[in-house]
Amino acid sequence: MPRNCNRETSPKENEIFLWRMDLPNKERRSPENGPKPCCSSLKMFLVALSFAYFAKALSGSYMKSTITQLERRFDIPSYLIGVIDGSFEMGNLLVIAFVSYFGAKLHRPKIIAIGCLLMSLGTFLIALPHFIIGRYKFETSIRSTVNSTSILSPCPVRSASVLSTGPSTSSVPSAGCEHESRLSMWIYVFLGNILRGIGETPVQPLGISYIDDHALEENAAFYIGCVQTISVIGPVCGYLLGSLCAKIYVDIGFVNMDSISITPGDARWVGAWWLGYLIAGFITLLSAVPFWFLPKSLPLPERRLAKYSPERTSFIKDSPLLEHKYQADEPANFLEMAKDFLPTLKSLLGNPVYFLYLCITIIQFNSLIGMVTYKPKYIEQHYGQSASKANFLMGVINIPAVALGMFSGGVIMKKFKLSIMGAAKFALGTSLLGYFLSLFFFAMGCENANVAGITRSYNGTESLYKVDSSLLATCNAGCQCPEANWDPVCGENGLTYVSPCLAGCRTSHGSGKDTVFEECSCVAGGNQTASVGQCNNRESCHRVFPYFLALSVITSFIISLGGTPGYMLLIRCIRPQLKSLALGFHTLTTRTLAGIPAPIYFGAIIDTTCLKWGHKKCGGRGACRIYNTTAYRIAYLGLTLGLRTASFFLCVLGLVVLRRHVQRQEHNALANGGTGAAAGELQALRKEENNSCNLDQCPRTTDYDPERETRL
């Protein structure tokens, strides 16, 4: 039965009802107490929440920047790095339902503070292995002494009994291996990242809801926007911190740097990855402090009560469509809620636009997360850049381009007042344009590094692509060479050799980075000498790299333009009563089906392009030392763009379904003449609100029309 929208209510009743409606968890203000100042506490909360957003974004992006450092330090393949990276989402999913439901009924600022403490503890736990694993020992045949007159023989005679001159893999495990094999150190990183995910859970839902409950309606969106904008600074600082720490040697302060023969561009280099986690953990710890001093709730500002008219109060109270929204505090039987959950979820998934949107975002998030996770590594391996430079470029160029694109998308949507169809077309158009531009990445390839026995024959004339095959040749047959070692030297002929021994070098002089190998039988022509490190003769890569960066910035900006309109499409295609469930279910599915698996299978596919694996001290395969860059490019870009290609088929289908149902509902609305109690009530409300506020201040009411809802 339709309700009477014109029932008279007293001003006192209106004030009491609006008070309870807008502030279900706030302290009630009595006439004796009078208004309480809340602006200072709310602003303090905004500052604290912005800092917490910054801290969690910084530590998250720093984790992305250290994947190659962790691979080399713990001698693990890329797919295990994917498991570690996905463990953050695992921790988040463990508690998100409990936090979202019970957290709103408890002291929200203190729950956020506990979350920040857990994030800080998890970040410190990630750095713990550095202090218990011992010093980093890389494969080398170079003497670390500063006595440059000493003579070494990198090529021991095969018939003699061989003693390794440096860390090398042998069939007999080294001392301490039995203890080390019981627990892999990367487990601490895995557990620490899970703890980070658990701690991060309450920050966003409880923080945003606290602002929405206590701020004026016209200010809430602005405050939330400020928090989100400040959080963009976090990834920039995280990648810059990763760039700084990648330049510093892992055991800085504990070793003589003059004895270190490798540079940041070497495949064996490990930066001070642990230092950034200590810094990020300390910043996260500081972010927890202000929340302990904030109240559970704040009094309602006078202006929030004064702006409501008696007619609007009566409508909101009596409207059958909207009364559900304002009864969050009413006690409900748990069994009734549980019985109602499955039908509600079925109704939500029965919305074809929402269901298709969900499928599209799952596929596109798989592409996005996999691409972002391994992009710094792609820059390192494909274009021969150091980890420090790759992280610097991600922080300074890519992340700001994404932030600017998302902001610009929101501005465009506001300026042109895009409808639901306009938002869908705009999001699809920007995604398609970015996709076609991304195809040019395939043309920006680099040739493989010339490594004797792996990508080139020993005479340098024939191209090879051997995976962990025998590296022995006629020129080094007389040497007892450990083939598992990766200790590259650059021959005078411009060819890289896996080790001085495999280059057939008989003598050497100097120490550290200044070591020179002589009488190298495999180095044809000249003085038969070789120097430390790989040859840097990939000129074409250095020429094409600036174009890669420019195209990367342009595509990141264009694709990000559709982010905000696409998100608004998600909000507008569902009923207000289902909005919270729709957003929560969307977050749950994208994290479960994209955030966790994408880094794992991207890493596993990248592992298939490895040409030379390192070996652990205690036996077994370690981190990859050199990749087939052509296969790497095809696998990385092909998987990224292949997933997006699949999503476009669903995008076209979703656009057709959306257009058909919108047209059908508009036709039905015109045929019915806009009759119906619910439609009349909402039209009356819309007319009143249009007279009292502009479109930007009332997005929820003006966006919704029950006759335009897309349903199956």
Side-chain angles (χ1 to χ4, degrees), residues 35 46 115 124 127 145 154 173 261 283 345 404 482 566 594 601 615 635 637 663 677:
L46 284 172
F124 288 136
T145 178
S261 60
I283 292 174
L345 182 61
L404 181 61
Y601 68 76
H615 288 265
L637 296 177
Q663 291 176 346

Side-chain angles (χ1 to χ4, degrees), residues 319-332:
S319 173
L321 291 173
L322 298 180
E323 65 178 350
H324 172 75
K325 178 181 176 183
Y326 302 109
Q327 292 178 350
D329 253 12
E330 297 298 324

